[in-house]
Amino acid sequence: MRAEFVASEVGNGLRRNLTMTLAVIITVAVSLSLFGVSLLVRAQVDTMKDFWYDKVEVSIFLCAKGSDTPSCAGGAVTAGQRDQIEADLESLRPLVQDIYYESQAEAFVRFQEQFSSSPIADSVNESALPESFRVKLADPTQYDVVASAFSGRPGIEQVNDQRQVLDKFFQLLGGLQAIALIIAVVMLVVTVLLVANTMRVAAFSRRRETSIMRLVGASNLYIQLPFLLEAAVSAGIGAILAVGGLVLAKSVIIDQVLAPSFQFTSFVGWDAVVGIAPILILVGIGLSGIAAFLTLRKYLRV
Amino acid sequence: MILFDTVTKLYASQTHPALEEVSLEIEKGEFVFLVGPSGSGKSTFLRLVLREERPTSGNVWVLGKDLSRLSNWKIPTLRREIGTVFQDFRLLPNKSVFENVAFALEVIGKPKALIKKVVPEVLEVVGLEGKEHRRPDELSGGEQQRVAIARAFVNRPKMLIADEPTGNLDPGTSVGIMKLLDRINRMGTTVVMSTHDAQIVDQMRRRVIELENGHVVRDQSRGVYGYVR
Ligand SMILES: Nc1ncnc2c1ncn2[C@@H]1O[C@H](COP(=O)(O)OP(=O)(O)OP(=O)(O)O)[C@@H](O)[C@H]1O
Ligand SMILES: [Mg+2]
């Protein structure tokens, strides 16, 4: 009985105020989609960090014949210098996890492979490519220890940290995420204001009913529940649309567009989407419920 | 039933109090007319009883409860024991007679079976049997007021508060409404009604409380409307 009555009130309310209901659904859907996208980008950054930090190396390039940095003034690296560098790297264990030596011949092969379709491949001479030590660190953030120990040493042309390149990229993604988040927050504020206004209009358009309810002794909960449920239902529909958008983004944009064209990296899995969906639904229903509750407290006083 | 103890009500926007140091008691089962010129404080008195307003000073007791100590969430319980009727009927235009009366029970969570049983009973008491499915705009003013009375009475309140219930009705129709209120009173319900209708007051010969400028200027047990000024 109670449930049936409340349900029919909610249905009537939503229909009577159809334009407002649609407006709430759309703003909730848009703001939560943006919010979801920003969460997804963050999950993507985390996934990529896991993937790449595991693979990044510090490269110590040794002087080749034509190197012109001051530390290479003595010409190409000597066998003694190379052995000393290797010994010093060994002494940095366990921070240094793996050491791999790449000779000029190997560097040349790799170069040929990388630029196989380009005319540069033929123009480069094996002796112009530097030999190098590829070092994998147990903790990639400790790059400075290696850099300070080796850069500028005679026989070493330069020390390169791939992580620094990645970090620039991650910063860019982080910036995008922040922008999406800011827009999402602004949109959520707009949503809250819209819900508050919708509730005010709804309370006003039904003031006859609510004033009679008050007179005959209906409890506050009973008077406000239909309004609160209306806000929750429209927010819920908006949130479900946003989740749908997120699923679409994952299955079309990520899985069908991005993943095939950027095969060198990994992308967020469905677990991230599954984790974000309930957050969107809770935030949507929670925010609009709170906005409705606070508004009604003001307009539906006993 | 109702006890006013030196009650003063000053609305925030006013300089002169709507009621000033009013003390009076209304017993169970009484029928009381509240008379007085426009603006004398009759509606204010009734709103204080319903706790739609709170007194500026003094205490109001209704049905044994000190309203100044009644917490907000208990107000609905109080109002379920008081039926209310107004000059403007306050019916829901898109609901039928039956639905209007049933609404009062639905919103306090009464079961459907009970509603199906008691609504026809009360419609018979007010003389509207056979008109259950009409809309308010298909009824005369007197019939609309009967619907409002049925809605106020359907939960069998201990008290009925009526603010100028015949204010919008012609004299003949008013007599019918008064007979109905009298009948409800004889069923044991305390009735307090404000009115400007001298003829009715003079005919009924019940207790009359006259207000003027927020003061009780007369309280007669079998009174008349008063002197024509
Ligand atoms: N909500 C309010 N805010 C401010 N002043 C009010 C309010 N309601 C009533 N008043 C003032 O209080 C005084 C008493 O008003 P009240 O409505 O009680 O008179 P009344 O006896 O019912 O008059 P009437 O016979 O015209 O209905 C009037 O001066 C009125 O202007
Ligand atoms: Mg009045």
Side-chain angles (χ1 to χ4, degrees):
Chain A
M1 169 67 225
R2 276 165 177 265
E4 193 184 310
F5 176 75
V6 171
S8 83
E9 284 285 295
V10 172
N12 284 338
L14 288 174
R15 247 175 291 126
R16 214 173 335 185
N17 234 335
L18 197 59
T19 44
M20 289 291 235
T21 306
L22 284 178
V24 169
I25 290 176
I26 291 168
T27 44
V28 168
V30 171
S31 54
L32 286 182
S33 298
L34 278 169
F35 188 49
V37 164
S38 90
L39 292 181
L40 205 60
V41 170
R42 207 183 62 182
Q44 175 63 26
V45 169
D46 287 345
T47 312
M48 288 174 93
K49 277 184 179 166
D50 284 349
F51 181 80
W52 283 106
Y53 280 1
D54 225 38
K55 296 188 170 45
V56 294
E57 330 164 298
V58 176
S59 307
I60 300 176
F61 291 103
L62 307 179
C63 296
K65 220 188 290 164
S67 307
D68 52 5
T69 43
S71 56
C72 291
V77 66
T78 64
Q81 281 172 331
R82 184 170 52 226
D83 292 346
Q84 186 56 45
I85 291 166
E86 182 160 15
D88 288 350
L89 277 172
E90 289 290 347
S91 73
L92 280 177
R93 284 184 194 275
L95 171 60
V96 166
Q97 207 173 23
D98 290 313
I99 303 167
Y100 167 70
Y101 170 74
E102 187 181 78
S103 68
Q104 282 185 309
E106 285 164 330
F108 185 68
V109 170
R110 201 154 64 95
F111 190 86
Q112 295 283 343
E113 276 171 9
Q114 270 177 0
F115 296 94
S116 58
S117 57
S118 146
I120 312 176
D122 305 325
S123 68
V124 169
N125 185 313
E126 186 180 317
S127 62
L129 290 171
E131 51 193 300
S132 62
F133 284 106
R134 302 297 165 105
V135 179
K136 189 158 160 35
L137 300 181
D139 176 2
T141 59
Q142 298 283 321
Y143 159 73
D144 281 346
V145 177
V146 180
S148 63
F150 293 95
S151 46
R153 251 169 78 159
I156 293 181
E157 187 181 0
Q158 95 184 88
V159 180
N160 254 357
D161 183 12
Q162 295 177 331
R163 208 177 78 98
Q164 283 181 327
V165 182
L166 278 182
D167 278 351
K168 286 229 175 62
F169 178 61
F170 289 151
Q171 265 169 19
L172 183 77
L173 281 181
L176 286 178
Q177 186 221 344
I179 291 171
L181 191 64
I182 289 169
I183 300 175
V185 167
V186 171
M187 287 295 296
L188 284 173
V189 170
V190 171
T191 307
V192 164
L193 295 179
L194 186 70
V195 169
N197 195 52
T198 306
M199 285 297 113
R200 224 187 48 193
V201 171
F204 184 77
S205 72
R206 272 182 273 165
R207 63 195 183 287
R208 243 188 138 82
E209 277 91 340
T210 51
S211 76
I212 292 169
M213 285 168 107
R214 253 185 291 133
L215 275 177
V216 300
S219 65
N220 256 341
L221 179 73
Y222 222 87
I223 297 175
Q224 296 185 2
L225 199 61
F227 293 93
L228 288 177
L229 288 178
E230 267 171 57
V233 166
S234 28
I237 295 174
I240 287 170
L241 289 180
V243 169
L246 207 61
V247 167
L248 216 63
K250 160 71 180 148
S251 63
V252 175
I253 298 181
I254 293 183
D255 289 353
Q256 288 179 28
V257 178
L258 293 179
S261 16
F262 300 96
Q263 287 179 345
F264 57 85
T265 186
S266 69
F267 284 93
V268 281
W270 282 105
D271 55 330
V273 177
V274 169
I276 292 171
I279 298 177
L280 294 189
I281 291 174
L282 278 184
V283 167
I285 294 180
L287 271 186
S288 90
I290 291 169
F293 179 74
L294 293 180
T295 316
L296 293 174
R297 238 169 44 133
K298 198 162 136 206
Y299 288 94
L300 296 180
R301 279 257 164 83
V302 225
Chain B
M1 272 282 136
I2 299 177
L3 178 66
F4 272 54
D5 181 13
T6 52
V7 170
T8 298
K9 174 66 192 180
L10 176 63
Y11 287 105
S13 55
Q14 309 292 75
T15 51
H16 191 78
L19 284 181
E20 197 166 9
E21 307 212 331
V22 170
S23 292
L24 59 83
E25 186 170 1
I26 293 172
E27 305 272 357
K28 188 174 190 310
E30 276 194 278
F31 194 116
V32 179
F33 286 113
L34 217 50
V35 302
S38 187
S40 57
K42 302 181 295 294
S43 297
T44 301
F45 179 94
L46 298 177
R47 280 206 292 273
L48 285 168
V49 172
L50 289 167
R51 244 223 53 185
E52 287 204 61
E53 298 285 350
R54 284 163 163 278
T56 313
S57 69
N59 275 333
V60 178
W61 294 70
V62 176
L63 298 167
K65 291 182 192 93
D66 181 352
L67 297 196
S68 64
R69 289 161 185 249
L70 194 70
S71 51
N72 276 345
W73 64 272
K74 279 188 178 158
I75 297 174
T77 322
L78 172 81
R79 292 192 184 146
R80 285 176 200 190
E81 311 218 53
I82 308 174
T84 39
V85 177
F86 297 91
Q87 182 175 359
D88 56 1
F89 320 138
R90 301 198 186 173
L91 301 177
L92 296 173
N94 50 353
K95 286 191 191 292
S96 71
V97 168
F98 183 95
E99 288 165 345
N100 262 286
V101 178
F103 185 74
L105 295 175
E106 278 167 349
V107 300
I108 58 173
K110 295 283 187 200
K112 207 170 207 161
L114 179 96
I115 294 175
K116 278 205 174 119
K117 183 171 153 305
V118 298
V119 173
E121 280 172 13
V122 78
L123 286 178
E124 199 187 321
V125 170
V126 301
L128 283 177
E129 59 272 51
K131 296 185 175 154
E132 295 87 343
H133 301 298
R134 301 247 194 119
R135 299 285 194 88
D137 59 6
E138 297 164 340
L139 296 173
S140 72
E143 286 168 334
Q144 288 184 50
Q145 192 61 298
R146 282 169 196 271
V147 179
I149 292 171
R151 183 180 65 196
F153 190 60
V154 70
N155 200 27
R156 304 288 157 149
K158 299 198 172 78
M159 180 158 52
L160 195 76
I161 300 279
D163 197 354
E164 301 189 36
T166 59
N168 274 344
L169 306 175
D170 61 69
T173 316
S174 297
V175 170
I177 294 293
M178 288 317 298
K179 280 195 177 137
L180 175 57
L181 290 179
D182 186 47
R183 186 165 164 218
I184 284 174
N185 176 242
R186 284 178 204 282
M187 289 164 84
T189 311
T190 310
V191 176
V192 182
M193 74 171 265
S194 75
T195 185
H196 285 287
D197 194 329
Q199 207 184 340
I200 283 173
V201 179
D202 293 346
Q203 270 172 7
M204 298 273 292
R205 287 285 170 155
R206 297 300 189 96
R207 180 176 173 188
V208 174
I209 297 171
E210 184 174 347
L211 291 173
E212 206 179 299
N213 249 330
H215 294 273
V216 177
V217 293
R218 176 164 64 110
D219 188 347
Q220 263 181 313
S221 57
R222 286 170 62 79
V224 291
Y225 186 74
Y227 310 100
V228 183
R229 267 168 264 241

